[in-house]
Structure formats: C-alpha cells, structure tokens
Amino acid sequence: MIAFFDANALIYLVEGAEPFGNRVRAALRAVTDDHPELGAAVSRLSWLECRIRPMRLDEHTTLAKYDAFFSRPDLIWVELNKDVVELATVIRARHGIRTPDALQAASCLQLGEDHLFFTGDTAFTRVAGLNVRLLA
C-alpha cells in the first residue's frame, strides 16, 4: 500500500496546523495499523506547491522541514510525464476539477490500485478509481 499526499495533506502533516495536522496523523496511524509497510509518494507538483509559501515568506525553518521530508530516501516520486498529463487531461474533461488537482489525481493513479490518496479536498471523490482518504 502506498500513501499519496496531495499538497494540502502534506502541508497539514509537515506544518501541523490544527485541527488538520491531527487528522492527517490519525489517518496515517489507522492505515499503518493495517499496512505496517506503508510507502509514501508525492508528485513534483506537491513539491512545488508546498515550498512556495515558506519560500515567499522567508520561513527557513518550515522550508527545512519540507526539504527533510522530500529528501527521504524511501519517498516515491511520481514525475509529471506524458502519461500523467494525458490522464490528467481526461480527468479534467470528465470531472471538471482544476488542472493542478487533475495532475495530482493522475499522478496517484500511476501507482496502481494499491494506493490511498490523502487530501482535504472533496473534489477528488469524483475521480473514478482514486482511493480517497478525506481529511475533512
């Protein structure tokens, strides 16, 4: 099983803003009880989105937390390649979700059926085949 983190879920996890930080940690604990070998995956889009605000505001401590997370050797990176963009186009056309969200959903779906998509955004529940874990 692989946990794919939408940028908002990753922001909650790394920055710990409550009540969402607790929700992400609780959801991860529940999943790791059933799947102790749970892997973690992100897209390059999450990397970009998570680092913008702390970079803009010169929040070096927060940026260092993200850099530590993104440099984990066990982290799976889903690149925004042609297959991801093609699938994102279909998702955007069929479900009407925003382009960045379609790219995130398509990135996660590249991992196969054995994934969980952690997010705080209900729009992702409309995407067929996406195993959404809603943190709301």
Side-chain angles (χ1 to χ4, degrees), residues 76-112:
I76 299 167
W77 286 91
V78 180
E79 301 297 343
L80 299 177
N81 61 28
K82 182 179 183 267
D83 292 338
V84 170
V85 173
E86 284 183 9
L87 182 55
T89 304
V90 171
I91 291 169
R92 178 148 167 62
R94 288 188 183 156
H95 303 292
I97 64 176
R98 300 175 317 123
T99 298
D101 292 343
L103 287 166
Q104 292 288 62
S107 294
C108 183
L109 289 169
Q110 297 301 305
L111 298 169

Side-chain angles (χ1 to χ4, degrees), residues 3-65:
F4 183 94
F5 294 93
D6 184 25
N8 61 30
L10 197 49
I11 289 167
Y12 302 152
L13 180 65
V14 172
E15 295 186 26
E18 298 308 339
F20 301 107
N22 276 335
R23 291 178 186 169
V24 175
R25 288 186 293 276
L28 283 173
R29 275 192 302 274
V31 171
T32 54
D33 285 348
D34 292 333
H35 305 281
E37 298 298 319
L38 182 71
V42 295
S43 72
R44 291 289 173 183
L45 182 58
S46 288
W47 180 64
L48 178 150
E49 290 181 334
C50 289
R51 298 174 73 243
I52 291 170
R53 191 189 58 76
M55 194 175 284
R56 182 182 296 139
L57 300 176
D58 289 326
E59 294 178 349
H60 302 287
T61 302
T62 303
L63 194 56
K65 289 178 184 178

Side-chain angles (χ1 to χ4, degrees), residues 94-134:
R94 288 188 183 156
H95 303 292
I97 64 176
R98 300 175 317 123
T99 298
D101 292 343
L103 287 166
Q104 292 288 62
S107 294
C108 183
L109 289 169
Q110 297 301 305
L111 298 169
E113 293 180 18
D114 217 15
H115 71 268
L116 295 172
F117 186 87
F118 286 87
T119 186
D121 188 342
T122 59
F124 288 104
T125 60
R126 298 191 308 250
V127 179
L130 196 61
N131 301 323
V132 176
R133 290 294 166 115
L134 201 56

